Each structure stands twice: as C-alpha cells, then as structure tokens.
Amino acid sequence: MRFTDRTDAGRRLAQGLEFLRGADPVVLGLPRGGVPVAYEVARALEAPLDVLVVRKLGVPWQPELGFGAIGEQDVRVLNEDVIRGTGLEAAERAAVEESERAELERRVRRYRAGRAPVPLAGRTVVVVDDGLATGATAEAGCRVVRGRGAARIVLAVPVGPERTLPHLRTVADEVVCLHSPPYFGSVGAWYRDFAQTDDGEVAELLARAARPAPGAADPPPPNREVELPAGSVRLAARFVLPEPPRAVVAFAHGSGSGRHSPRNRYVATVLNEAGLGTLLLDLLTEEEERDRRNVFDIGLLARRLQAASGWLRRETGLPVGYFGASTGAGAALEAAADDAGIGAVVSRGGRPDLASGASLARVRAPTLLIVGSLDTEVLSLNRLAADRLRCEHRLAVVPGASHLFAEPGTLPVVAGLARDWFTAHLTGPEAGGPSPGSA
C-alpha cells in the first residue's frame, strides 16, 4: 500500500477511524508531517484539530537515547530506567530540558499564533503522524497527552513497521495503522510525494481548522483582551464569557506570572466549558513588576482584585469568585475578607498564609485550598492558614504533585476540583448574587 501524499493518507486514515465519530474526539497532529494528515482526519470526523508539540529529552552523550519528553502546559514525562542506567545527574537533565523547552515554546508560538490549546482532560484524543520509524516521537506524544488528562488515546498512522506496534500499544489505548509491513525501510518510501512540510504550512492548516464554518453552531466563548481601571492605572486582562454564563471567576496570578500563564489558562478553559466566565488579570503593570516589592505587596494586589470584581459585576451582573495561585491566593483571601459578595475562593499551590490572620478569620466565601502532596512546605503553610479560616473550607491534597502541578495528570485534577467547587458555590441552589453595595 502506497499513498499519493499526506492528504491522501489522511483521508484514507480517516476511514479507518470512523468508529470514533460519536466519541467527540480531539485530533492532534505531530509536527511537522503529521499535521496535514491530522487535518484530513479532523475534517472527516468533524472534530477539533490541534497540534501536539513534543520534544524528546536525549541523554547528552547519546542524544538518540531519550530519558523523557516534554510538552505544553509544563508536562514532563521521565524514563527512570534510562536515568538510572546512564547515571544522568539532575543538573544535566535540567540543562537538556531548558534547551528543549525553548525550542518547544518557539514552535508553539509559531503554530498557535496566540490560540489556547484545546483542552484534553476527560476526552478521547487521536494522536496522528504521517508514519512511524522507531516510534519514539509517537510514544513521547502519547505520554504527554496522558499527562494532560486524556481519558482515551488512539494513536493513528498510515504506515509503520510491524515490530514497533506492540510496544506502542502499551502507551496508547488503541493503535490504528493502515499498513504495517515486516520489511519497512523509511516512511517516505510509502509515499509518492513526501515533500517536507514547513512551519508555515503547519500554522496555516491549524489556522484554517480554527476558523468556524459558515453557519456553524456553538461558537467558542468570546475571548477578548480588556483593560480595567484600578486607581491611577489600567490593568491588562483576558476576559472570556461563555453563553449563557452562570457566574464569573477572577484569576489572581502568582509572582512572576500573569494572564498568559499556561496553567491558569488551562484551568480557565475547563471553567469556561462548565459555563463559568473567567478574567485572567495582570495585577501589576509592566513597570510595577520591575520592583519586586510590589509582587509581595498583598494589600496592593488585593485592592487591584477588588477593583476587578467591581468591574465584573458592572459588566456582567453575575456572581463572582476568586481563583488564586501562589502569592495571588493570599491576595484573593485578603480581598474576599472585605467583600461579602464574593461567592467562592479557590487556591492552587497558594500562599494563603500571606493574608493576615485577621483577614483570614473574616473571609465568608467558601474556600478550597489545593496543594500538591510533594509541596511539603506550602502544604504546611496551607494547613496553618486553614486553621484560621472560619468559613466553610476544605484542603485538597493532590497525590504525587509538586508546587506547579507539572506531573502527568495532576493539573486536570486541579481544574476539576476548581470547576466543581465554583459550580457548587457560585451556581448551585445555595448560591446568591452579589450583595448590594459590595462592588
């Protein structure tokens, strides 16, 4: 079996994936050559298309031997057997990851052009390439997708050597390979036209797939950049309001982070899918950020967050909650202490201890503190802060997670906990609207 080109391969591969039509799949193409194939699969299945940018982490003195892989949203998967067998030191691993992370981010910027990744948590994900050789890239891609919370992974390729498939079936839930000859050669040998795919073609196909079809129903929620007045300054923010909106959540980011944080953007997308609006807010201007004292000025950050909640009430008339990360959690609780209209607060890897003890005792909003089990120092600080809260509260410890929740599968747990907390307390039967004059 030979294919005319990647378009032909994608159309034929789609026929072998018809069984997924009712499974609401997401199709991910491995760049560069896998994206044209994935584009045809996504069109045939009427599924969203996205790119799966992964980088193999190679042992420095033997780069073809991978000790792990990295992907978007800080996902990292490691092969402990290779690390132990090579004696690779932590500093050596960090140097390799730093270099590969830079290239990964360059490609993401080029391919996505500012678009957020399609959420994968709980979804059936089809990972597509134009063919398999060793299968190393496909394996890395599947592991990264698993780390992003996919419920089911289908690896789909037009052609690949018979000997590589058994191992790949251990990392994907299902492997679909149209042609698997025992004597393989190279991927290009099975195409009449195997011209190189460049970055421009990848970006164009992704942009084309992202454009809504004429008359398409259920467009994505409006996603716009806004500026909010806060005293003498104006703060940049990313505002998303689904239709119909049920409530809205303002995000207070941690030190050194802002509205472009991939972790908070991922959580925000999960909230949007549940009908919750989100405001990802830069609490400081670029000039203010240069003075590190401002980053830890919890009083200043809390006042900025209160200004944002007032803007949200005027703009939407909806119940408002706070989501705080790192130092932003302290600001969120400090702000909530003086605003009885805040319906719920969630902290991710937060520093609620940075709010004053008196403020913690005044918080009335139901509060969820989410901490990784490996983040032992912050976990202790959260336990101390929880003892000072007099409102309904819960401390949720995510097993196997560190401070940034970069471990596979941990960030989707955070997003699910936050979604359920806000849904229960902002939109449930007991949820009330904003108190009069609380803006």
Side-chain angles (χ1 to χ4, degrees):
M1 178 186 290
R2 294 186 72 197
F3 305 97
T4 303
D5 54 18
R6 291 183 178 89
T7 297
D8 173 50
R11 290 171 180 170
R12 291 159 74 173
L13 184 59
Q15 295 174 7
L17 294 168
E18 273 294 321
F19 66 94
L20 293 174
R21 181 173 291 279
D24 189 27
V26 176
V27 179
L28 302 183
L30 285 161
R32 299 178 178 94
V35 174
V37 181
Y39 177 80
E40 298 299 331
V41 171
R43 280 213 315 170
L45 296 181
E46 299 180 13
L49 173 69
D50 206 349
V51 66
L52 176 57
V53 185
V54 298
R55 299 293 296 176
K56 184 176 73 173
L57 302 177
V59 176
W61 56 87
Q62 194 176 349
E64 70 280 2
L65 177 61
F67 68 85
I70 56 173
E72 289 182 81
Q73 299 176 341
D74 295 322
V75 172
R76 177 198 302 110
V77 292
L78 299 177
N79 187 322
E80 298 293 346
D81 291 337
V82 172
I83 292 172
R84 283 192 298 268
T86 58
L88 200 58
E89 299 290 339
E92 295 170 317
R93 299 199 303 269
V96 172
E97 180 171 348
E98 181 179 8
S99 173
E100 295 298 339
R101 180 71 64 183
E103 174 61 17
L104 181 142
E105 290 174 355
R106 182 198 70 79
R107 292 194 177 201
V108 167
R109 288 193 299 270
R110 178 70 176 91
Y111 299 154
R112 289 197 184 284
R115 293 184 300 274
V118 176
L120 306 183
R123 301 287 295 274
T124 294
V125 179
V126 187
V127 177
V128 177
D129 206 351
D130 56 5
L132 299 171
T134 65
T137 302
E139 177 181 357
C142 291
R143 293 190 185 281
V144 165
V145 167
R146 188 78 72 188
R148 288 175 57 187
R152 179 188 182 193
I153 300 173
V154 179
L155 174 62
V157 293
V159 62
E162 187 179 75
R163 66 181 179 278
T164 65
L165 301 183
H167 175 67
L168 290 171
R169 291 190 178 100
T170 68
V171 294
D173 298 297
E174 190 164 353
V175 177
V176 174
C177 180
L178 300 184
H179 187 46
S180 52
Y183 305 104
F184 184 73
S186 66
V187 173
W190 300 94
Y191 286 81
R192 293 187 179 90
D193 178 0
F194 199 64
Q196 183 175 352
T197 304
D198 60 25
D199 284 346
E201 183 179 353
V202 171
E204 167 57 24
L205 287 172
L206 292 168
R208 193 186 307 169
R211 298 181 195 123
D218 299 321
N223 185 339
R224 58 189 173 103
E225 293 285 322
V226 296
E227 286 192 346
L228 281 62
S232 61
V233 302
R234 298 186 70 82
L235 304 176
R238 181 184 296 272
F239 182 44
V240 177
L241 196 64
E243 183 62 40
R246 307 170 67 190
V248 64
V249 176
F251 280 61
H253 307 284
S255 58
S257 185
R259 70 189 190 281
H260 299 301
S261 161
R263 287 174 291 277
N264 283 347
R265 287 181 68 175
Y266 172 79
V267 174
T269 300
V270 173
L271 300 187
N272 297 153
E273 292 176 341
L276 301 171
T278 52
L279 182 77
L280 275 68
L281 177 70
D282 289 349
L283 293 174
L284 298 172
T285 66
E286 290 184 6
E287 182 178 352
E288 289 171 334
E289 284 180 344
R290 297 189 187 102
D291 185 345
R292 293 295 294 172
R293 291 174 296 182
N294 290 327
V295 173
F296 294 94
D297 188 339
I298 300 301
L300 171 64
L301 302 180
R303 291 192 296 274
R304 298 283 172 84
L305 197 53
Q306 288 170 337
S309 63
W311 183 88
L312 283 171
R313 290 184 180 116
R314 292 190 297 272
E315 185 78 9
T316 70
L318 295 168
V320 177
Y322 288 152
F323 181 96
S326 192
T327 54
L333 288 164
E334 192 76 35
D338 295 323
D339 187 345
I342 297 301
V345 177
V346 173
S347 161
R348 171 183 66 79
R351 291 291 308 277
D353 57 294
L354 294 177
S356 70
S359 294
L360 289 173
R362 293 202 312 275
V363 173
R364 293 294 173 263
T367 298
L368 173 65
L369 308 175
I370 307 174
V371 189
S373 66
L374 305 181
D375 195 9
T376 53
E377 182 177 354
V378 171
L379 180 55
S380 296
L381 294 172
N382 272 255
R383 284 176 171 146
L384 290 173
D387 288 341
R388 296 180 176 181
L389 290 171
R390 297 294 177 263
C391 58
E392 177 188 348
H393 63 276
R394 176 189 168 200
L395 176 61
V397 181
V398 179
S402 58
H403 184 61
L404 294 179
F405 298 90
E407 294 74 18
T410 57
L411 191 59
V413 172
V414 172
L417 288 168
R419 176 199 59 216
D420 294 346
W421 191 263
F422 284 128
T423 299
H425 295 287
L426 292 181
T427 70
E430 72 282 7
S435 299
S438 61

